[in-house]
Every structure is written in C-alpha cells, then in structure tokens.
C-alpha cells in the first residue's frame, strides 16, 4: 500500500492522553516538554486496520500553521503534514484527523501498560482529545474542560504524590499549589496518564452498539464510567433494576456532556422514571429528546461510553431539559437566511449533533423586567433576560450591551430581524428590533443611516405569529455571531395590536474605527419628569444612565451593564433632582473619549472636557466599545418603508 506524498491531516487541539491543550503556537513556557508530540491516524479514511503512529516531532518547527511529521517502522522514509486544528474552519476541503498527544504522555502510558496496541492508543486518543466534538469543544467547553481536568488532577495527585510533605498541608493550600502548577507541568501529565488514562485504557471495549428493551415490564440497569471527573453511561442492560417500566414509553430525554451521554429519563402518558444515570455537576450539559422510540433503543458507543441514542438522522440538543413543545422541530420556526431569503434548498440532514439555546422570558409567572442584547461590530453574541431575583444568559457578554427595561405589565408583541439586503450569507447576521404591548419600539442593533433605510439597503423580517413573545432561541453558531434566531409565543395571550416598525433618523458622529452598522450604537431619552436617576459604572468609565420617570416607563441611555464588575449608583433622591441640569465629564485617550463622571447641578463650569444639558431637554448618547458622545437630540422618527419588511409565517 503506497502513501501519497505529504498527505494532509488535521491535528487535534488537545492531547489525546492527558487532555491538556497542545501548544500549537510553537511556544512553551514550561521546560519545553510539551512541544514534543506524536499522532495516531488512519492511512486510509475510517479504516482502523491502517492505523499508524508517527515519530516524535516538535511544535517549535511549525510553519504557516502546519508541520511535517515522519512515520515509523517500514514507512520511516515517509511523512505526513499535520495542520493546526483551526484550519479546519477556514479550509473548504475536509481532511482526515490525526489524534495528537504529548510524546511524554505516550512514554508514560507504554511504561505503565504491558500490552498497548496502536489501535487502542488511536481509539483512546480519539475519545480523550474530544476531536469528535468538533466546534462544540472549542467554543462552548474550553474552560470547563480545563476545570474538570484540574479537579481530577487534584484528586489523583494526593494518592500519587512523591512529595509526601505536601500532604501535610491543609486541602485549601494543596488546591492553591495545584491551581498554580496547573495542567502544563510534566508531573501533572504524568499523574493524569499514569492514574486516569491507564484506567480508561483497561476499560476500552470493542462494542460499538447496544440495544435495550423499552417494553412494559422491562427493568433497565445502568453501568456508569467516570472519565476525567465526568460520569457517563457505559452500558444499559435488561434486568438488575427493582423497578419495571410501568407502561408504554412515549418519549425519552437524555443528557450529554462533552459528547457523551450521562443520563436518560423515560416518559409515559402519566409517569416518568426519573433520571437513570448521573447528571454531572460540572461542564455544560445538553439535553435531547426522542419521541416514539419504539420497543427497543439502539445505543452507540465510542468504546468507553454512549455517544448517541437511536438512529436519528438529526440530533437536536438544547441547553436545558425543559423547552416548549413547539420547539420539537426548531428549524420550522427558526428564521433561516438561505431558506427564507436566498430561497436555497432545505438544510441537509446531518448525523452530527446540532446545539440550540433557549432563553425564556417567563420565570415563575413573572415576565422579564429587562432584556440585554450583547453586540459586536458584526452582530449578536448573546441575549440575557432579567427577572426580580435572577437572570438568564445565552451566548456571551462580549461587545456592547443594549439594555431595554420593561414596565409592569409590558411584554414583547412583535419582533423583527434586521439584515443587510444582500443575497450573500456573509451579510446575513441579524439584529433584533422589538415592539412592546405598550407600543414602544426598541432596536437591539447598531445605528443605520436613514438614506440606507430609505434606499432599501436593509430588510426587516417580521416573525409574524399570534400571541405575545415568551422566549428567544437560536442555533449555537460556528462563527463569532448568532446567525439563526427564532421566538416562541403564548398563543392564548391577549391581543398585541398591530406592528408599527419605525427607525430613528439623525446625524451620526464621526468616530475612529466604528460607524453606522459597524459598532456605533445610539440611545435617546428625555430629561423631563425624572423621579430617580442611576449611573452604571465599570472601572473609571460611566457607561450609562437609567432614568426613572414619574409616570412613563423607565429608559436607558448608553450601556447598562448587569455583571458583578459593574456598579449602580443613584445620583438623585426619592423626591427627584431639584437642580437645573446634568453634566457629563469626559476623559480622552488618543482618538477615543469616554464618560468618567455624571452629576446634577447648575451650569457653572467652563470645562471643555464636559457637556451640560438642562432638565427638560432630550439627549442622544452615542457609544461604542471605546467611545461616548453625548449631544442634543436633533432627529426624528420615521416609518420603515413597507417594501423593506418581509413577513415570515
């Protein structure tokens, strides 16, 4: 069998034996031990009879995100090219995977295990490197994987520790030591491979599929296997359980972490079994549902634990166990650019899991009192709902927050998704505009020039279905921003009125490196009839104001942060400010300026680094991640042309 010259493989991001990050940058801060690596791969795609393990290579030799690696044995004169994991997302061609691991970890493993075949090393490194989880492990689990591995290290180190004096320290101090050492030290890898990886190697089996009966009267027993601190279902068996399935199984739910199944729950018409297995305490847990599973359940295994159930063509996973029944088929209700705008064919079915997030706007019969959408210059990166005692976030908090406070009894009546009017998917990242049951309209997006609105440069997609909106959901993106968004509704809610989409038209300030539809945001509020005013401060910057009025709903100027790093300070008493105006002080750095202080008082200062506005005036607060500009409102509100609005029903 001949091997094509310089055959290209994609290297995994993590070591397939100790599960720590590989230094693909070609640099290492700790003794250079982790730069030496080897890899296991198949010469022929998906043919495990052609498994090979490379010779040792050094990541300091990486060039242009790739490295040539020599083979062993009778192929020692041949080599392959291994590309950095990230190139998989940029290249159009899909290359086979080379499961990489530290040369140090490989030596530890073969010293601990008398017989260890290349096939076993390939299979184990395939599982532990999380290469099969693809983007999910990179975008959603990176820090959580580090945390679970560190916890496993602390537990194992106490029994493996050659420096027994360390055991005399209190556990809090030992934890501090291991937090400092972390996963990068050679001794840490030695502990993990010698104790955890060796144990898992002995647990490997050849079985890739198992079936279990779901008929009435069957008794299902669960066997668990812990992998780096996370419990997984290793097998399901008929018998061995005192409680029998009491009736027909209508549907089942399952929980997954890092691509492995941890627990299942069976449901009948009026019963459920509770969770069979263990719900993990760490890591992001995903939940799936199989409706009408039939009398038998097919379970697929990677050799250590179950990775999928049934023979579903498309595995839909959610970030929480309970979602509305209307989301059984999320693609049907979800806005999709290629289907709804460019009129491409339906999304192809895929056997890879697909990950969705759901953000409810109701909690214990309370509707949200505030909604934050986090935006970068390219689109939405996260949405957060705020309640009296808690908040819920899907996505991330990078970028600028646009916050909307709800009045008592106010709900979202209509939602539009705004996109650039183009047939190219590159411009398809949407922003959100809402209209409430009080008739208020708020745009969670950057400022758009009026002439671009009037010249049909943008389209607004109305998610037009009856009922007030009770939640947002989206498919977790493989890119940096959210591309596919949908809403859920309460069909039995009262009338929500008619949609009345408007936009603001005014002149925008000129700022460095940001602009309309490119990271520049605006907010407008009236300074009349104020009852109370609060400042939001993050570090030295005053990022925004929350204005409480005597009669009308609350408004926000600028950015209102809700994280622990922000401070909210009232600058007026309960009787309302008895002053003539409000002053904003700025601090400049290069091309940027931010607000650093806000106060009420008379206009007595001639400071050129401040702006003063009288009570009763309407002002605009323009902002970006690095800029604040505050001026009098000089614009107007206009209706969006009807030709720019598309109904998606």
């Amino acid at each position: 069998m001949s091997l094509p010259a310089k055959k290209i493989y994609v290297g995994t991001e993590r070591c397939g034996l100790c599960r720590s990050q590989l230094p693909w940058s070609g640099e290492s801060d700790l003794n250079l031990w982790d730069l030496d690596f080897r890899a296991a791969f198949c010469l022929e795609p998906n043919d495990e009879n052609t498994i090979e393990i490379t010779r040792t290579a050094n990541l300091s030799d990486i060039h242009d995100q790739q490295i040539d690696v020599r083979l062993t044995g009778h192929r020692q004169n041949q080599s392959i090219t291994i590309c950095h994991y990230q190139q998989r997302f940029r290249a159009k061609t899909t290359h086979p995977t080379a499961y990489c691991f530290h040369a140090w970890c490989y030596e530890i493993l073969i010293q601990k295990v008398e017989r260890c075949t290349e096939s076993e090393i390939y299979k184990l490194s395939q599982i532990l490197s999380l290469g099969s989880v693809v983007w999910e492990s990179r975008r959603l689990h990176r820090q959580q994987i580090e945390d679970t591995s560190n916890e496993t290290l602390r537990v194992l180190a106490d029994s493996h520790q050659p420096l027994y004096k360390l055991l005399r320290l209190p556990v809090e101090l030992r934890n501090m030591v291991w937090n400092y050492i972390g996963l990068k030290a050679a001794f840490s890898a030695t502990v993990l491979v010698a104790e955890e990886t060796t144990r898992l190697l002995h647990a490997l089996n050849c079985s890739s599929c198992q079936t279990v009966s779901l008929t009435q009267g069957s008794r299902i027993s669960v066997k668990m296997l812990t992998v780096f601190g996370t419990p997984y279902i290793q097998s399901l068996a008929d018998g061995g359980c005192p409680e029998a399935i009491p009736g027909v199984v209508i549907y089942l739910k399952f929980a997954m972490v890092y691509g492995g199944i941890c627990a299942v729950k069976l449901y009948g018409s009026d019963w459920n079994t509770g969770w069979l297995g263990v719900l993990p305490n760490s890591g992001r847990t995903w939940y799936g549902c199989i409706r009408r599973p039939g009398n038998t359940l097919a379970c697929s295994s990677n050799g250590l634990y179950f990775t999928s159930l049934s023979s579903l063509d498309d595995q839909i996973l959610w970030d929480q166990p309970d979602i509305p029944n209307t989301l059984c088929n999320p693609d049907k209700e979800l806005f999709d650019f290629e289907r709804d705008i460019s009129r491409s064919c339906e999304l192809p079915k895929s056997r890879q899991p697909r990950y969705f997030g759901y953000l409810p706007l109701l909690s214990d019969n309370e509707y949200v009192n505030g909604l934050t959408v986090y935006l970068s210059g390219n689109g939405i990166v996260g949405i957060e709902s705020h309640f009296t005692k808690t908040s819920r976030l899907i996505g991330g908090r990078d970028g600028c927050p646009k916050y909307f406070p709800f009045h008592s009894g106010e709900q979202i009546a209509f939602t539009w998704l705004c996109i650039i009017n183009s047939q190219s998917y590159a411009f398809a990242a949407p922003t959100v505009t809402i209209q409430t049951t009080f008739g208020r309209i708020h745009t969670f997006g950057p400022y758009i020039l009026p002439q671009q609105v009037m010249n049909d440069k943008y389209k607004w997609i109305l998610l037009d279905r009856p009922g007030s909106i009770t939640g947002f959901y989206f498919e977790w993106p493989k890119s940096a921003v959210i591309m596919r968004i949908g809403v859920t509704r309460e069909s039995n809610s009262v009338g929500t009125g008619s949609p009345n989409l408007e936009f603001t038209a005014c002149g925008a300030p000129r700022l460095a490196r940001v602009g309309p539809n490119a990271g520049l945001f605006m907010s407008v509020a009236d300074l009349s009839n104020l009852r109370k005013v609060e400042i939001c401060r993050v570090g030295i910057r005053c990022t925004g104001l929350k204005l409480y009025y005597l009669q009308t709903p609350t408004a926000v100027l600028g950015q209102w942060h809700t994280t622990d790093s922000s401070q909210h300070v009232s600058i007026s008493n309960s009787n309302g400010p008895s002053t003539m105006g409000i002053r904003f002080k700025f601090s400049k750095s290069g091309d940027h300026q931010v607000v650093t202080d806000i106060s009420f008082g008379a206009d007595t200062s001639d400071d050129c680094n401040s702006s003063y506005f009288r009570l009763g005036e309407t002002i605009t607060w323009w902002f970006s991640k690095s800029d604040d500009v505050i001026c009098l409102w000089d614009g107007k509100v206009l209706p969006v042309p009807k030709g720019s609005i598309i109904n998606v029903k």
Side-chain angles (χ1 to χ4, degrees):
M1 184 185 300
S2 61
L3 180 69
K6 304 297 182 185
K7 188 173 183 180
I8 298 176
Y9 290 79
V10 177
T12 48
E13 184 179 1
R14 297 182 173 277
C15 171
L17 299 179
C18 75
R19 216 170 67 164
S20 66
Q21 194 86 15
L22 289 167
W24 280 99
S25 63
E27 299 178 356
S28 176
D29 297 329
L30 291 172
N31 301 322
L32 307 180
W33 73 273
D34 56 346
L35 289 172
D36 288 335
F37 81 101
R38 304 179 77 162
F41 65 98
C42 291
L43 287 174
E44 299 298 330
N46 303 318
D47 184 357
E48 295 190 8
N49 293 319
T50 63
I51 292 174
E52 294 279 346
I53 294 180
T54 69
R55 297 174 63 179
T56 299
N58 192 285
L59 283 171
S60 64
D61 297 326
I62 194 169
H63 176 70
D64 194 23
Q65 297 292 301
Q66 62 185 30
I67 184 172
D68 290 340
V69 183
R70 300 290 297 273
L71 304 186
T72 59
H74 65 282
R75 301 183 186 275
Q76 58 184 333
N77 294 325
Q78 297 175 332
S79 65
I80 62 171
T81 297
I82 298 180
C83 297
H84 184 197
Y85 187 91
Q86 290 179 332
Q87 286 199 337
R88 171 177 292 182
F89 303 103
R90 296 195 293 264
K92 294 182 180 179
T93 303
T94 300
H95 298 293
T97 301
Y99 298 99
C100 303
F101 40 83
H102 296 118
W104 175 276
C105 295
Y106 176 77
E107 295 298 329
I108 297 298
L109 183 66
I110 60 177
Q111 288 178 21
K112 290 287 293 185
V113 181
E114 292 183 1
R115 294 181 179 180
C116 185
T117 66
E118 292 180 343
S119 177
E120 289 173 327
I121 292 176
Y122 175 87
K123 198 169 190 178
L124 190 62
S125 60
Q126 182 183 42
I127 297 170
L128 297 185
S129 66
L130 298 175
S132 60
V133 185
V134 196
W135 67 272
E136 183 214 358
S137 66
R138 289 183 53 79
R139 292 192 53 77
L140 304 181
H141 291 320
R142 174 172 290 178
Q143 185 57 50
Q144 293 156 339
I145 292 171
E146 301 288 348
D147 292 343
T148 54
S149 294
N150 272 312
E151 180 60 30
T152 302
L153 174 63
R154 284 194 289 267
V155 172
L156 295 176
D158 284 347
S159 60
H160 189 86
Q161 179 57 255
L163 303 176
Y164 293 106
K165 291 183 179 180
L166 187 62
L167 293 177
R168 300 175 184 175
L169 296 176
V171 64
E172 295 81 7
L173 292 180
R174 295 208 305 274
N175 287 341
M176 291 178 63
V177 170
W178 286 113
N179 285 334
Y180 176 76
I181 295 175
L183 300 174
K184 293 295 185 180
F187 180 73
S188 300
T190 300
V191 172
L192 290 172
V193 174
E195 301 293 339
E196 183 73 356
T197 309
T198 301
R199 177 180 66 87
L200 297 176
L201 182 66
H202 292 308
L204 271 177
N205 61 75
C206 299
S207 176
S208 61
C209 187
Q210 179 187 347
T211 58
V212 61
S213 174
L214 299 181
T215 58
Q216 183 175 354
S218 297
R219 302 174 184 272
I220 300 178
S221 62
V222 181
K223 182 180 179 181
M224 305 295 296
L225 176 70
T226 300
V227 178
F228 281 79
T230 301
Y232 294 103
I233 295 179
Q234 188 178 28
S235 67
L236 293 173
D238 296 328
C241 179
E243 296 185 6
I245 297 176
V248 177
V249 178
I250 299 176
Y251 66 97
L252 66 84
K253 292 183 179 180
F254 58 90
M256 299 185 73
V257 173
Y258 310 141
I261 295 174
C262 305
V264 295
K265 182 189 288 189
L266 309 181
Y267 289 83
S269 57
D270 57 357
W271 57 269
N272 70 78
T273 59
W275 286 107
L276 305 174
V278 179
L279 290 178
N281 295 321
S282 60
R284 183 186 291 273
T285 304
W286 296 94
Y287 299 88
C289 180
I290 300 176
R291 299 185 180 275
R292 297 181 296 275
N295 292 329
T296 59
L297 179 67
C299 310
S300 298
S301 172
N302 60 13
L304 285 181
Y305 48 79
F306 289 159
T307 55
S308 65
L309 301 177
S310 187
S311 56
L312 295 177
D313 291 330
D314 200 8
Q315 193 174 73
I316 303 297
L317 300 174
W318 292 89
D319 62 348
Q320 55 192 285
D322 299 313
I323 60 169
N325 291 329
T326 56
L327 294 182
C328 292
N329 182 5
D331 284 324
K332 182 179 180 181
E333 303 290 337
L334 194 69
F335 166 72
D336 181 78
F337 175 82
E338 294 181 340
R339 180 192 63 205
D340 300 325
I341 301 299
S342 64
R343 306 301 180 185
S344 300
C345 59
E346 293 284 337
L347 288 173
K349 293 292 184 179
S350 170
R351 296 187 65 85
Q352 291 293 330
R354 297 170 57 207
Y355 301 89
F356 289 81
Y358 177 64
L359 182 74
L361 302 183
L362 282 167
S363 177
D364 295 330
N365 296 320
E366 176 192 5
Y367 201 79
V368 290
N369 57 44
L371 187 68
T372 302
V373 176
Y374 297 91
L375 300 117
S376 68
N378 299 317
I380 297 173
V381 296
I383 309 176
E384 188 169 13
S385 57
H386 307 280
F387 302 92
T388 302
K389 296 182 179 180
T390 186
S391 64
R392 174 74 192 278
L393 171 73
I394 54 174
R397 292 191 178 97
D398 296 334
C400 293
K402 290 209 71 177
Y403 177 89
F404 181 80
F406 288 85
H407 200 61
S408 176
E410 187 176 25
Q411 299 183 6
I412 300 176
F414 300 99
T415 298
W416 293 265
L417 303 180
C418 178
I419 61 173
I420 296 175
N421 187 10
S422 170
Q423 292 296 308
S424 173
Y425 189 75
F427 301 102
T431 57
V432 173
T433 298
I434 64 170
Q435 177 180 324
T436 73
T437 51
F438 285 17
R440 293 201 291 167
I441 297 174
H442 184 80
T443 296
F444 295 99
Y447 179 68
I448 300 173
L449 291 174
Q451 57 267 34
Q452 292 186 330
V453 177
M454 302 308 295
N455 293 335
D456 199 32
K457 298 298 184 181
Y458 287 83
K459 292 292 186 182
W460 280 263
I461 295 89
L462 174 61
L463 305 179
D464 185 16
R465 295 183 184 275
S468 61
I469 291 175
T470 57
F472 288 91
Y473 72 98
F474 64 81
E475 184 170 5
W476 281 93
K478 298 181 182 180
S479 59
V481 297
I482 298 169
M483 301 297 291
R484 308 180 69 221
I485 303 177
V487 296
T488 56
R489 295 182 178 272
E490 176 54 65
S491 58
N492 297 325
S493 60
V494 297
T496 54
S498 301
N500 181 32
L501 183 60
E502 298 174 334
F503 72 99
T504 54
C506 62
R510 294 182 180 273
L511 299 175
R513 292 179 287 279
V514 296
N517 201 41
L520 178 63
F521 306 93
M522 70 168 295
S523 54
V524 180
D526 188 13
L527 298 181
S528 302
N529 301 314
L530 295 173
R531 175 174 59 87
K532 185 176 70 170
V533 177
E534 289 182 340
I535 297 175
C536 179
R537 182 183 291 275
V538 178
I540 64 169
R541 183 179 181 182
C542 294
T543 63
L545 286 177
K546 184 180 284 189
L547 307 175
Y548 298 85
Y549 298 99
L550 294 174
Q551 295 179 334
T552 55
T554 302
V556 165
L557 281 169
Q559 304 176 67
W560 192 258
H561 294 264
T562 57
T563 60
D564 293 338
S565 62
S566 63
Q567 293 179 319
H568 300 161
V569 181
S570 176
I571 59 171
S572 60
N573 58 41
S574 60
N575 296 322
S578 57
T579 54
M580 297 177 61
I582 185 170
R583 179 173 298 281
F584 299 85
K585 291 186 178 181
F586 297 90
S587 175
K588 295 184 178 180
S589 175
D591 296 330
H592 305 286
Q593 69 170 16
V594 297
V595 177
T596 54
D597 191 36
I598 304 174
S599 60
F600 281 98
D603 187 10
T604 59
S605 174
D606 295 327
D607 186 2
C608 63
N609 291 324
S610 68
S611 298
Y612 183 84
F613 303 94
R614 294 182 179 276
L615 296 182
E617 293 179 323
T618 301
I619 64 174
T620 304
W621 188 325
W622 299 89
F623 60 91
S624 70
K625 195 168 185 179
S626 306
D627 303 274
D628 292 311
V629 175
I630 303 175
C631 57
L632 285 173
W633 164 248
D634 61 352
K636 53 186 176 181
V637 178
L638 299 173
V640 173
K642 291 185 178 180
S644 297
I645 302 175
I646 302 172
N647 284 20
V648 177
K649 296 187 177 182

